[in-house]
Amino acid sequence: MKTIATFLASSAVAALAMAAPAQAAMIGGDCGDSTIDAVTTGTYLGCSGAYEGNDSNDQENVMNALSTLGSNLGLASGTWGYDSDDKSDADGNGVFTSNPGGSSGTLSFDSPMYGIFAVALKASTYYSIFVFDGGTTGISSFDFTTDGVAINNDDGAGLSHATFYSYNAVPEPLTLLGTAAALGMGVVMRRRNEEA
């Protein structure tokens, strides 16, 4: 009986591993807190990477990495969004004011970014992903280095581009239920007041 249970458990683990979506392979080490030197307002939450490739051409793996990172950071369930126009090397620099090409510098936004969002930094043939919480005050800019983005002999390579990723939290069912109940109570109270 024990042998059958062990076989079934092993088979289930193997089946889950085969069914798991492809993940971008992390290339040696942690992108590290030192990569984001200063956030003028808001909060820098964490990072993931370095990954080999170009985030712009690797959206499935970027979204998987963002989902995992969001879960590891304890973010509420939500969806990440990508728009190819939201890159620093796009026409007009996307949501950024410029595309600084050095191995360090400041990335500034056209206007403050509020709530949860992510920025991927691409240098050489690697990228790393950084998650921020702009809260209600917003983040206008942050200082960066590409150390931890490009690795091995490419460590300290110039920034190719930064990409902005939006985040939309999905309200939990109890929150939706509470909102619906509150709206319903408001309707009942108004009807009572109108009848009185």
Side-chain angles (χ1 to χ4, degrees):
M1 191 65 141
K2 234 182 199 180
T3 306
I4 293 173
T6 303
F7 172 75
L8 289 174
S10 299
S11 298
V13 169
L16 285 173
M18 287 188 294
Q23 294 278 338
M26 191 182 322
I27 311 294
D30 180 9
C31 50
D33 289 350
S34 63
T35 305
I36 301 299
D37 292 326
V39 174
T40 54
T41 58
T43 305
Y44 163 60
L45 299 177
C47 62
S48 183
Y51 299 100
E52 190 162 23
N54 182 335
D55 66 294
S56 301
N57 304 327
D58 199 21
Q59 285 304 297
E60 181 179 354
N61 287 325
V62 170
M63 293 303 165
N64 287 336
L66 280 168
S67 179
T68 300
L69 181 56
S71 178
N72 291 342
L73 292 172
L75 299 181
S77 295
T79 57
W80 293 96
Y82 165 76
D83 185 329
S84 61
D85 291 333
D86 288 342
K87 295 173 43 184
S88 62
D89 63 348
D91 288 340
N93 303 115
V95 299
F96 302 94
T97 59
S98 67
N99 186 37
S103 60
S104 64
T106 300
L107 273 164
S108 299
F109 298 106
D110 289 333
S111 58
M113 295 298 173
Y114 300 95
I116 304 293
F117 64 91
V119 174
L121 299 181
K122 159 84 168 54
S124 184
T125 56
Y126 303 96
Y127 66 92
S128 291
I129 303 165
F130 303 86
V131 175
F132 299 87
D133 184 355
T136 56
T137 56
I139 293 176
S140 298
S141 66
F142 62 90
D143 295 337
F144 71 92
T145 70
T146 60
D147 294 343
V149 177
I151 59 168
N152 302 326
N153 295 331
D154 294 328
D155 200 18
L159 182 72
S160 298
H161 65 260
T163 307
F164 178 83
Y165 292 87
S166 61
Y167 180 75
N168 295 306
V170 176
E172 297 192 19
L174 289 178
T175 304
L176 291 174
L177 182 60
T179 302
L183 289 172
M185 286 300 293
V187 169
V188 169
M189 295 301 287
R190 185 168 18 147
R191 284 187 182 157
R192 282 188 182 171
N193 287 340
E194 288 173 357
E195 290 173 2

